[in-house]
C-alpha cells in the first residue's frame, strides 16, 4: 500500500501540457432553465449575468447564466422537441453536461488532449462580437459529460459572444459561495481506474494520494474513490465507483437513476460555513443530517477546532482532519427529483482532503442509530 503523500505539481517535473486557470463555468441541462435560474438565485444566492435564447437569435434553446463570486452556472433548456438537449434531459434528468475549463490557449488544450487519446466533442472555434473573441474546443469525459476549454483573454463582454447581459430587478443577496472546490464524478463498476488513467494520461493530472484513495466502506455501504488534480491544484476531480456492500451503494443508486456515469456533486467553497449554511437553510436548501451522536465523539477524532461546536451541531456541519489541517463540510439533498446531483458546501482550514473521515462517521453514526432502534 502506498502511504506517501504526493502533492507535487506536474509542472515541477515536466512542462504542464494542459495549464488550466480554473473552472470557467458549469452548464446544466435542465427541464425549465427559467425556473431553475430563479431557484439558484433565491436559494443559493446567485446573481443574473447573461442570457441567450429567442431574444439573441437562438431558436432551439435558451440559456441563463448565473454568477456568485468565481462560480458561473449556465442553465440550458431546449425550446422545441426532438433536440439532443431534450434527449439528454429525458435520459438523465437535470444534470451537468459541461465542465468548462478556463485556459489561455484552447487550440493547444484541444490538440494536446486529442493527441493523447481524448475523443473530440467540439473542434476549436472562434466566436466574436463587439467585446472581442472567445476560443473554445471540447472533449468527452465520463458518460455524456464533456469538458470545454474556454480561452477568454481577448474578451471583455459579460460572458461569451451569443449572450447578452441579463440584468434583473430581483437581486437576492449572496450566501458567500466563493469558487468551485472540486467536482465529483460517479462512474460504473470497475471503471474508476479507467477514468483515473484518462485524467492522468490525456489531461496530465496527478492522483492526490490521500485518505480517500482507500476503500470507503462500512459493513453496509461501500464505494471506492480516487482524486485527480491538475498541475496547479485548481481543478480537482474525485472519481467514485460503487463497491459491493450488503446494501445498494449510493453510487449504484446514482448510476441507476442517471442511467450512467455523471457528475455526482459540485463542492463550492465558503470562508464562513456557519453563515453560509444558515443562509442556505433559511432560503429553503435542504441538507443531509447526521444523528446528534456524531457530535459526541467528533472532537476526539479531529482534535481542537477554532469554531464553537454548538452552531456546527445545530446546523449539522461535519468536521474532518488530515495531516495539513481540518475542513468543515455539509451536503445538500439532491437538487432534482432523481437521487442524482447534489451540492457540497466546504470550508477548508488547511486540510486538502475531501472528508473521508466524515463519510465513515456518517454511515457509522447512522448504523449506531439503527442499533439503538433495534433495526440493524
Ligand atoms: Fe466532495
Amino acid at each position: 500500500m502506498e502511504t506517501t503523500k504526493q502533492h507535487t505539481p506536474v509542472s515541477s517535473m515536466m512542462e504542464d501540457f494542459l495549464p488550466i486557470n480554473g473552472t470557467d463555468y458549469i452548464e446544466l441541462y435542465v427541464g425549465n432553465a427559467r425556473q431553475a435560474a430563479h431557484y439558484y438565485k433565491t436559494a443559493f444566492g446567485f446573481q443574473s449575468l447573461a442570457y441567450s435564447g429567442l431574444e439573441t437569435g437562438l431558436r432551439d434553446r435558451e440559456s441563463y447564466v448565473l454568477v456568485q463570486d468565481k462560480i458561473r452556472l449556465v442553465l440550458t433548456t431546449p425550446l422545441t422537441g426532438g433536440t439532443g438537449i431534450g434527449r439528454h434531459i429525458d435520459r438523465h434528468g437535470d444534470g451537468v453536461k459541461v465542465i468548462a475549463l478556463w485556459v489561455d490557449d484552447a487550440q493547444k488544450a484541444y490538440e494536446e488532449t486529442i493527441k493523447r487519446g481524448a475523443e473530440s466533442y467540439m473542434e476549436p472555434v472562434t466566436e466574436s462580437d463587439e467585446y472581442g473573441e472567445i476560443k473554445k474546443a471540447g472533449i468527452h469525459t465520463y458518460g455524456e459529460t464533456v469538458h470545454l476549454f474556454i480561452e477568454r483573454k481577448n474578451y471583455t463582454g459579460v460572458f461569451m459572444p451569443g449572450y447578452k447581459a441579463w440584468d434583473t430587478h430581483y437581486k437576492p443577496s449572496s450566501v458567500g459561495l466563493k469558487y468551485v472546490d472540486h467536482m465529483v464524478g460517479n462512474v460504473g463498476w470497475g471503471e474508476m481506474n479507467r477514468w483515473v488513467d484518462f485524467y492522468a494520461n490525456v489531461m496530465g493530472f496527478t492522483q492526490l494520494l490521500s485518505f480517500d484513495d482507500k476503500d470507503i466502506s462500512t459493513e453496509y455501504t461501500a464505494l471506492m474513490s480516487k482524486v485527480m488534480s491538475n498541475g496547479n491544484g485548481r481543478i480537482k476531480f474525485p472519481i467514485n465507483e460503487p463497491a459491493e456492500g450488503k446494501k445498494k451503494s449510493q453510487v449504484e443508486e446514482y448510476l441507476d437513476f442517471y442511467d450512467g456515469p455523471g457528475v455526482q456533486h459540485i463542492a463550492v467553497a465558503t470562508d464562513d460555513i456557519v453563515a453560509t449554511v444558515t443562509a442556505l437553510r433559511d432560503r429553503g436548501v435542504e441538507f443531509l443530517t447526521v444523528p446528534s451522536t456524531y457530535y459526541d465523539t467528533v472532537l476526539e477524532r479531529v482534535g481542537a477546532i477554532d469554531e464553537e461546536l454548538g452552531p456546527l451541531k445545530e446546523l449539522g456541519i461535519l468536521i474532518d482532519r488530515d495531516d495539513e489541517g481540518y475542513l468543515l463540510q455539509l451536503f445538500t439533498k439532491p437538487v432534482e427529483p432523481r437521487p442524482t446531483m447534489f451540492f457540497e458546501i466546504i470550508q477548508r482550514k488547511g486540510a486538502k482532503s475531501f472528508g473521508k473521515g466524515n463519510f465513515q462517521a456518517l454511515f457509522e453514526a447512522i448504523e449506531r442509530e439503527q442499533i439503538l432502534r433495534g433495526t440493524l
Side-chain angles (χ1 to χ4, degrees):
M1 189 176 77
E2 291 179 275
T3 52
T4 44
K5 284 205 163 231
Q6 184 186 338
H7 290 303
T8 315
V10 157
S11 54
S12 68
M13 295 177 281
M14 63 188 92
E15 191 205 350
D16 186 353
F17 64 81
L18 182 57
I20 301 171
N21 300 319
T23 307
D24 196 280
Y25 66 87
I26 299 161
E27 181 170 13
L28 294 94
Y29 284 174
V30 298
N32 187 333
R34 189 173 297 183
Q35 290 186 3
H38 186 71
Y39 169 76
Y40 282 109
K41 288 172 66 174
T42 301
F44 280 84
F46 283 84
Q47 298 300 316
S48 304
L49 179 68
Y51 161 87
S52 72
L54 294 173
E55 292 169 35
T56 65
L58 289 180
R59 285 290 171 265
D60 64 332
R61 67 186 187 280
E62 185 166 75
S63 294
Y64 294 87
V65 187
L66 303 175
V67 65
Q68 186 166 182
D69 204 325
K70 292 186 170 65
I71 310 163
R72 278 191 292 245
L73 292 184
V74 180
L75 304 162
T76 298
T77 292
L79 293 173
T80 64
T83 66
I85 299 168
R87 188 203 51 74
H88 195 281
I89 295 166
D90 180 53
R91 179 176 174 192
H92 301 296
D94 289 3
V96 172
K97 176 62 181 180
V98 179
I99 302 169
L101 304 170
W102 173 29
V103 299
D104 288 332
D105 189 337
Q107 173 96 29
K108 182 169 183 285
Y110 180 82
E111 287 170 358
E112 294 286 349
T113 50
I114 291 291
K115 96 178 172 201
R116 288 172 171 81
E119 182 191 343
S120 179
Y121 173 72
M122 178 193 292
E123 294 198 358
V125 291
T126 302
E127 295 177 347
S128 57
D129 64 13
E130 66 264 44
Y131 300 106
E133 67 176 31
I134 293 262
K135 290 184 177 167
K136 59 184 182 180
I139 60 172
H140 289 270
T141 178
Y142 47 79
E144 291 201 90
T145 316
V146 301
H147 290 307
L148 290 191
F149 302 118
I150 307 292
E151 173 186 330
R152 53 173 70 254
K153 60 179 184 279
N154 297 315
Y155 194 69
T156 59
V158 290
F159 184 55
M160 287 202 286
Y163 288 80
K164 67 173 192 176
W166 179 37
D167 190 21
T168 52
H169 172 76
Y170 179 50
K171 295 181 174 68
S173 58
S174 163
V175 299
L177 301 178
K178 311 284 278 188
Y179 58 88
V180 176
D181 184 275
H182 60 277
M183 289 183 68
V184 178
N186 280 344
V187 300
W189 291 94
E191 290 186 352
M192 177 179 69
N193 285 330
R194 174 188 160 201
W195 291 104
V196 164
D197 289 347
F198 168 84
Y199 281 106
N201 300 333
V202 173
M203 297 187 67
F205 284 29
T206 49
Q207 187 180 337
L208 296 182
L209 295 179
S210 64
F211 301 106
D212 302 78
D213 66 353
K214 293 175 222 148
D215 295 4
I216 300 169
S217 64
T218 64
E219 192 181 353
Y220 291 90
T221 318
L223 63 84
M224 294 195 290
S225 186
K226 289 182 177 177
V227 181
M228 303 305 290
S229 170
N230 81 317
N232 61 21
R234 291 180 197 173
I235 305 295
K236 291 184 285 287
F237 292 146
I239 306 291
N240 296 336
E241 73 172 40
E244 290 290 350
K246 284 187 181 173
K247 300 274 172 67
K248 180 184 270 193
S249 99
Q250 55 163 326
V251 178
E252 192 180 356
E253 180 189 47
Y254 175 102
L255 295 169
D256 286 350
F257 278 93
Y258 200 74
D259 193 20
V263 171
Q264 181 211 41
H265 72 266
I266 302 170
V268 284
T270 172
D271 291 337
D272 184 348
I273 196 166
V274 170
T276 295
V277 171
T278 298
L280 289 166
R281 195 174 68 164
D282 286 348
R283 293 155 75 149
V285 176
E286 294 188 294
F287 294 95
L288 287 182
T289 54
V290 289
S292 60
T293 53
Y294 173 89
Y295 295 93
D296 296 346
T297 54
V298 67
L299 293 183
E300 292 166 27
R301 180 166 61 82
V302 302
I305 58 171
D306 300 336
E307 292 73 14
E308 301 253 0
L309 196 59
L312 301 180
K313 181 176 179 179
E314 210 277 309
L315 293 163
I317 293 165
L318 308 173
I319 313 154
D320 197 21
R321 181 178 287 280
D322 64 21
D323 296 352
E324 294 166 271
Y326 68 95
L327 62 82
L328 303 158
Q329 67 186 164
L330 187 54
F331 301 92
T332 73
K333 293 182 179 177
V335 292
E336 58 286 303
R338 301 188 196 194
T340 51
M341 195 197 78
F342 56 89
F343 285 83
E344 173 184 350
I345 314 300
I346 184 167
Q347 181 179 4
R348 294 188 179 277
K349 312 248 338 204
K352 293 200 173 72
S353 54
F354 298 84
K356 188 245 176 180
N358 280 330
F359 216 95
Q360 200 82 19
L362 182 66
F363 285 113
E364 286 172 0
I366 290 167
E367 287 170 11
R368 276 202 301 276
E369 292 283 299
Q370 288 177 299
I371 290 168
L372 286 175
R373 290 192 295 269
T375 58
L376 196 66

